[in-house]
Amino acid sequence: MIRGLRQALLMIVAGALTGLVAGAVWAAVGDTGFQRAAGICLMAVAGLLALTGGSVLSRATTTDARAFLGRGPSREDPASGEGLTAAGVFLFVSLPLLVLGLVLLG
């Protein structure tokens, strides 16, 4: 459980930094204010994280190798304690980023 919460904290920090940097670039290039641009970018990051789930992207990179070796697709074991599941990513990462984006948007 502790590992999952640390993973969630790291994902929140990385997602917030990504959204804020993208918002800063958008505000510098465009005519939009920083607060509005950062809010929209944070909501976009939250949506992408909610859609991709927990380890979907990391498992997708090993799909070809597993198929070549004749193994079936890897399956997540929710009781393994290895990290966040897709529901955990949605609840502990995407929702806080979405709320932060909505607050910044006004």
Side-chain angles (χ1 to χ4, degrees):
M1 182 169 154
I2 298 297
R3 182 176 178 182
L5 292 176
R6 277 187 282 165
Q7 183 182 4
L9 180 65
L10 181 66
M11 289 176 76
I12 287 174
V13 169
L17 284 176
T18 303
L20 292 174
V21 168
V25 169
W26 183 9
V29 171
D31 214 10
T32 307
F34 172 73
Q35 190 172 357
R36 179 176 169 84
I40 292 171
C41 288
L42 284 172
M43 290 188 299
V45 168
L48 287 174
L49 285 173
L51 289 176
T52 58
S55 61
V56 172
L57 296 177
S58 63
R59 287 188 297 141
T61 59
T62 62
T63 302
D64 291 336
R66 293 183 66 83
F68 178 74
L69 296 173
R71 298 180 183 166
S74 63
R75 293 183 182 14
E76 289 186 30
D77 185 14
S80 66
E82 293 182 8
L84 291 175
T85 61
V89 171
F90 177 74
L91 289 174
F92 295 120
V93 179
S94 294
L95 281 181
L97 287 175
L98 180 68
V99 169
L100 182 62
L102 287 172
V103 167
L104 284 177
L105 193 59

